[in-house]
């Protein structure tokens, strides 16, 4: 009986080691995710195996930067706002981001980008963007503190396969 219990414990441990860690610690170098995450504040993310992430709007994700975002060895942290098939834009009459024409309630927002600033290609200084249809296998991500966030508004979508963690 004891040998059987020990064998079960060893197999369980081997399964955990073979699968790798279930969570990982990160920190980010900007305040783009305020108020949820502050610059240099450690946080934990559930590890996602390559190609297995099923995006859900509202998830805060850690991802490897796509080439159009900069060096792929850099990682970013943003909130998933739209998934494949949705049309995202800003702004409705109340200055809100829209998904398929419906304004979003975003209680997690920190500092927003100015509504009156004109969009400039390659810069996320304006609140206005789109409309953008999110392609299959992609997510549209934005920082919670949009006044200081570089995100999908100006850098484009992120492949689901680049997501390596979901913040807990």
């Amino acid at each position: 009986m004891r040998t059987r219990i020990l064998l079960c414990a060893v197999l369980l441990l081997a399964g955990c080691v073979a699968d790798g860690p279930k969570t990982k610690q990160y920190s980010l170098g900007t305040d783009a995710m305020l108020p949820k995450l502050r610059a240099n504040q450690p946080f934990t993310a559930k590890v996602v195996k390559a190609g297995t992430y099923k995006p859900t709007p509202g998830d805060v994700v850690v991802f490897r930067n796509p080439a159009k975002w900069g060096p792929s060895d850099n990682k970013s942290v943003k909130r998933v706002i739209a998934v494949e098939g949705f049309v995202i834009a800003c702004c409705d009459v109340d200055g809100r981001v829209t998904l398929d024409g419906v304004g979003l309630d975003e209680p997690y927002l920190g500092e927003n980008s100015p509504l009156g600033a004109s969009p400039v290609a390659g810069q996320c200084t304006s609140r206005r963007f789109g409309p953008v249809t999110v392609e299959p296998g992609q997510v549209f991500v934005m920082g919670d503190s949009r006044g200081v966030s570089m995100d999908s508004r100006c850098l484009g979508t992120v492949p689901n396969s680049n997501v390596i963690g979901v913040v807990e």
Side-chain angles (χ1 to χ4, degrees), residues 54-121:
K54 304 289 185 230
T56 302
D59 285 351
V60 175
V61 294
V62 180
F63 56 92
R64 290 182 324 278
N65 285 348
K68 60 192 170 195
W69 283 54
S72 62
D73 57 339
N74 288 351
K75 295 170 186 63
S76 294
V77 181
K78 305 291 178 195
R79 186 176 299 274
V80 174
I81 305 299
V83 299
E84 66 182 56
F86 280 89
V87 176
I88 184 168
C90 193
C91 302
D92 68 5
V93 295
D94 295 320
R96 298 178 301 174
V97 170
T98 63
L99 282 184
D100 291 341
V102 178
L104 292 180
D105 179 28
E106 298 184 283
Y108 44 77
L109 275 182
E111 175 192 346
N112 210 338
S113 295
L115 190 54
S118 298
V120 177

